[in-house]
């Protein structure tokens, strides 16, 4: 199936831990993104990468570090997790970083709960 | 500035039309999108409109864009209970690396 897939779907962890979320797309897109959806359903971009190169870093704390080993993968590593990091994290991809009519394909989300 | 606003809730009866409204502030948007999110699921692209168009129709969906007033709407004809979800309006801004600016989402509730 062609898609954006992210793992894990659910992640429950204690404050202070370090965790990673993985994302892979097999759509052949050049650009990948991480978005955060808070408890009020508000979606905000965190990062975008185009062909493994960081192009957007939207004032995210440096405890969050994205890594793109190749253009089909964009992983998100979070150090020293805090309660406020609890959210749903969505990975997405698009063919063109300028925005196109094809839109952006989103993964199904990773629900992170920090306790 | 970059801001997209939507009303938070809409309730309609099955078979009626639903109209979800959205306003945005950035005039350099290139594409405007409507996404649907069902509970516990990701975002599904419903439709989009290029910023130089006024209207787009796609089966039960009609998108209207008033660029002068920076107003976008999504009309769903013959709304069904399966249309109950959160609908997000989003804009992509020229030369912003593909960043999407989302509205807060409108929760559509369809009553039988």
């Amino acid at each position: 199936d062609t898609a954006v897939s992210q793992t894990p779907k659910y992640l429950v962890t204690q404050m202070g831990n370090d965790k990673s979320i993985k994302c892979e797309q097999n759509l052949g897109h050049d650009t990948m993104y991480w978005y955060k959806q808070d408890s009020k359903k508000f979606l905000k971009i965190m990062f975008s990468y185009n062909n493994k190169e960081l192009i957007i870093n939207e004032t995210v704390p440096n405890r969050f570090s994205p890594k793109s080993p190749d253009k089909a993968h964009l992983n998100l590593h979070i150090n020293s997790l805090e309660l406020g990091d609890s959210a749903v994290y969505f990975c997405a991809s698009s063919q063109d970083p300028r925005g196109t009519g094809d839109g952006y394909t989103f993964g199904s989300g990773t629900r992170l709960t920090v306790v | 500035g970059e801001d997209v606003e939507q009303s938070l809730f809409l309730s309609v009866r099955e078979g009626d039309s639903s109209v979800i409204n959205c306003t945005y502030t950035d005039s350099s948007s290139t594409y405007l999108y409507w996404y649907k999110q069902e509970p516990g699921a990701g975002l599904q692209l419903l439709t989009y409109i290029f910023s130089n168009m006024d209207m787009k129709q796609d089966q039960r969906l009609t998108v209207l864009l008033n660029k002068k007033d920076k107003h976008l709407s999504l009309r769903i004809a013959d709304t069904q209970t399966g249309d109950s979800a959160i609908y997000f309006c989003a804009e992509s801004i020229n030369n912003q690396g593909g960043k999407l600016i989302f509205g807060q989402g409108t929760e559509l509730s369809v009553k039988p």
Side-chain angles (χ1 to χ4, degrees):
Chain A
D1 284 343
T2 52
V4 177
S5 55
Q6 47 183 117
T7 55
K9 192 168 171 64
Y10 300 97
L11 184 53
V12 181
T13 187
Q14 290 189 324
M15 266 196 317
N17 282 350
D18 303 338
K19 289 292 176 188
S20 291
I21 308 171
K22 296 187 177 198
C23 180
E24 176 182 4
Q25 55 94 4
N26 60 5
L27 298 160
H29 287 168
D30 287 338
T31 310
M32 294 185 72
Y33 312 83
W34 279 108
Y35 281 82
K36 179 179 178 181
Q37 186 174 44
D38 65 21
S39 57
K40 294 189 174 131
K41 304 291 185 190
F42 184 63
L43 277 149
K44 189 167 163 46
I45 191 164
M46 300 172 71
F47 302 103
S48 80
Y49 270 73
N50 179 246
N51 245 326
K52 302 193 297 174
E53 191 178 328
L54 178 69
I55 52 174
I56 293 177
N57 180 343
E58 196 78 357
T59 60
V60 177
N62 58 15
R63 296 183 296 104
F64 290 79
S65 50
K67 286 202 171 38
S68 182
D70 55 61
K71 76 172 195 176
H73 294 84
L74 180 63
N75 303 322
L76 184 64
H77 188 75
I78 316 169
N79 288 329
S80 303
L81 277 153
E82 299 177 359
L83 293 177
D85 297 332
S86 296
V88 181
Y89 292 84
F90 286 101
C91 178
S93 71
S94 70
Q95 180 54 40
D96 190 329
R98 293 170 297 177
T100 70
D102 291 336
Y104 303 70
T105 304
F106 281 81
S108 54
T110 295
R111 183 174 292 278
L112 171 66
T113 305
V114 183
V115 297
Chain B
E2 303 162 346
D3 198 18
V4 178
E5 303 241 339
Q6 302 175 236
S7 51
L8 294 181
F9 301 100
L10 177 65
S11 181
V12 299
R13 292 225 169 266
E14 196 172 18
D16 288 350
S17 290
S18 309
V19 179
I20 303 172
N21 292 302
C22 170
T23 56
Y24 60 97
T25 55
D26 199 310
S27 55
S28 60
S29 55
T30 51
Y31 286 90
L32 294 126
Y33 303 91
W34 284 103
Y35 280 88
K36 177 182 180 183
Q37 186 179 31
E38 296 182 30
L43 290 137
Q44 173 198 351
L45 177 65
L46 282 180
T47 187
Y48 66 91
I49 189 165
F50 188 47
S51 56
N52 69 356
M53 294 169 65
D54 299 324
M55 184 180 106
K56 181 176 179 183
Q57 187 146 5
D58 186 358
Q59 298 182 327
R60 291 190 299 125
L61 305 178
T62 304
V63 179
L64 294 177
L65 175 60
N66 181 329
K67 202 168 179 182
K68 176 174 161 288
D69 294 340
K70 299 194 183 78
H71 182 266
L72 181 75
S73 67
L74 173 70
R75 179 175 179 270
I76 306 172
D78 186 26
T79 316
Q80 303 297 306
T81 53
D83 295 325
S84 293
I86 300 178
Y87 290 81
F88 290 94
C89 162
E91 59 171 345
S92 67
I93 314 277
N94 201 17
N95 298 324
Q96 288 277 328
K99 180 166 76 171
L100 278 180
I101 311 294
F102 282 90
Q104 313 95 305
T106 299
E107 184 172 345
L108 175 64
S109 172
V110 183
K111 299 188 182 341

